[in-house]
Every structure is written in C-alpha cells, then in structure tokens.
Amino acid sequence: MKILSVDTSATAASVALSEEGKLIGETFINTSLTHSQTLIPMVEQLLSNTKTQIADIDAIAVNAGPGSFTGVRIGVAAVKGLAFANNIPCVSVSTLESMAYNFLSTDCIVCAVMDARCSQVYNALFEIKSGVVTRLCDDRALSLDDLKSELLSVDGRIIIAGDGTDITFKHIGDEIQNAEPAPVNLKYQRASSTALVALEMINNGQTVSAQELMPVYLRLPQAQRELNKKLGGRTK
C-alpha cells in the first residue's frame, strides 16, 4: 500500500511517500512562496527521486482542513486532479489529527492549534498513550479564552502544537503550568504524519473518491462572513 500524502493547510507545505507505515521520502518547506507555485513541483520531485510512477500509488491522502482557506483549497484541488486522472482513492485527513501523530513516542495530551484569526484558533485535543492516539473532542473553532478555560481543567502533560502555538502561549501566560510548546521539529503538521493517519483510515475502509473529496473549513471564508454580516445572516 503506497500512499502519497499532501499538506498545504498552513504556511508550511509538505509531501510524503510511504508504504505500509514506512516513510520512503518527504519534502517540507516553510517559505513565503504560495503553494500553487510549490506543490506540484514538490510532488514531481518526490516521485522522481524515489523512482515512483503515479500508477504505483494506491491512495492519495490530504490534510483537508481546517486551516488556511486558500491553502486547503490548493491541496484538495491538486489531490482531486491527481486522483481523478489516475482513478486513485483519496483519504481526507484532519489537519489537527495529523499533528497529534508527531508525538506517538510521548505520553501526553496534544493540544493542536491553528491560527483562525480574530482571537480564535482551530483546535482539537488528543491523548497519546503507549503510541495510541485517542481523540478527545471534535475539530472546532473556538476563542482563545474558551480554550484557556478548558485547558485549566486538563491534568497531565499538555503539548501545544501548530502554527497557533505562539499566540496560544501568549494568551495563557503562566497560568497553565503543565502546558509546553512543541519543539520546533515537531511543531508543524507534516505529510509524513498525515500518511500515518491515512493508513489507519484506509484499513478501516475510510476512503473517498476524487469527486467526493471536499475541503473542511469549520468557518465560512472571511469574504462570505462579511457579506452575510451585511445581509444579516450567518457570520461564523
């Protein structure tokens, strides 16, 4: 089972090729270049360097959200195109859940946070115990105040990871003594961790077709929220 995995859900972008849980190759960049410029060349280079043809791929996984609206769209659109053209099943992975898989060797609570602007974060909590990941809540968008209140009641070691780590720590200050930031090499979502989630999902029959694969935003795009505000409708 060869899986091509893609993440473009935030500023960093990565692609990975794995087989039965073994990482064959991965490319990670964190630059100001847009994902529309970098993603397909990264995929092509990875396949070339690993002597892999697209026909050899059994499934394509993507962090389908939450995250940057533009980034999520780019990743999902690229995967839909590759999968549809080559009749390859897709796996829609939660960006937040993929972050938890960076910490399989550590017993802890992973608080995955992505900056959602307006003093909010996209967040989910996961317990890691003996290498097993247990989801503690659904992916959600919530205020930093609400997240702080919830973390105050969490016992045990808390590792905060994601591009929302810095704003979260600035907000909670010294009030949550059992919380710590993830080390820089584990801070961001990576396609190699996306692949680990995807393998479990594939084994559980959780694949979708290219046509069925859709972005997961959790919130409406800002332009739509502004329009709805003017029209007196939904703003979240």
Side-chain angles (χ1 to χ4, degrees), residues 184-201:
V184 65
N185 61 315
L186 300 175
K187 181 177 180 180
Y188 301 107
Q189 64 277 9
R190 303 187 69 106
S192 52
S193 291
T194 306
L196 294 175
V197 183
L199 181 59
E200 290 188 11
M201 295 178 68

Side-chain angles (χ1 to χ4, degrees), residues 5-16 28 35 39 42 61-64 66 71 75 95 98 114 188-191 194:
S5 303
V6 171
D7 172 70
T8 58
S9 57
T11 303
S14 57
V15 296
F28 176 95
H35 299 321
L39 178 57
M42 287 169 66
V62 61
N63 280 346
T95 307
S98 74
M114 302 184 74
Y188 301 107
Q189 64 277 9
R190 303 187 69 106
T194 306

Side-chain angles (χ1 to χ4, degrees), residues 65 76 90 94-95 112 142 158 163 193 222:
V76 169
C90 302
S94 159
T95 307
L142 77 170
I158 302 171
D163 69 1
S193 291
Q222 183 177 355

Side-chain angles (χ1 to χ4, degrees), residues 164-233:
T165 297
D166 294 343
I167 62 168
T168 300
F169 258 86
K170 182 178 179 180
H171 191 80
I172 66 177
D174 298 326
E175 294 184 51
I176 305 176
Q177 295 294 320
N178 55 322
E180 63 189 79
V184 65
N185 61 315
L186 300 175
K187 181 177 180 180
Y188 301 107
Q189 64 277 9
R190 303 187 69 106
S192 52
S193 291
T194 306
L196 294 175
V197 183
L199 181 59
E200 290 188 11
M201 295 178 68
I202 291 168
N203 289 337
N204 290 325
Q206 296 173 280
T207 63
V208 295
S209 67
Q211 296 93 325
E212 293 170 324
L213 180 66
M214 297 296 290
V216 179
Y217 293 131
L218 293 187
R219 290 195 326 184
L220 294 173
Q222 183 177 355
Q224 186 65 56
R225 295 199 306 271
E226 291 297 326
L227 176 61
N228 288 0
K229 185 176 180 181
K230 291 179 181 179
L231 299 176

Side-chain angles (χ1 to χ4, degrees), residues 13-35:
S14 57
V15 296
L17 181 68
S18 62
E19 185 170 16
E20 299 301 335
K22 175 186 175 182
L23 181 63
I24 299 172
E26 181 178 26
T27 302
F28 176 95
I29 60 171
N30 192 2
T31 70
S32 59
L33 294 174
T34 64
H35 299 321

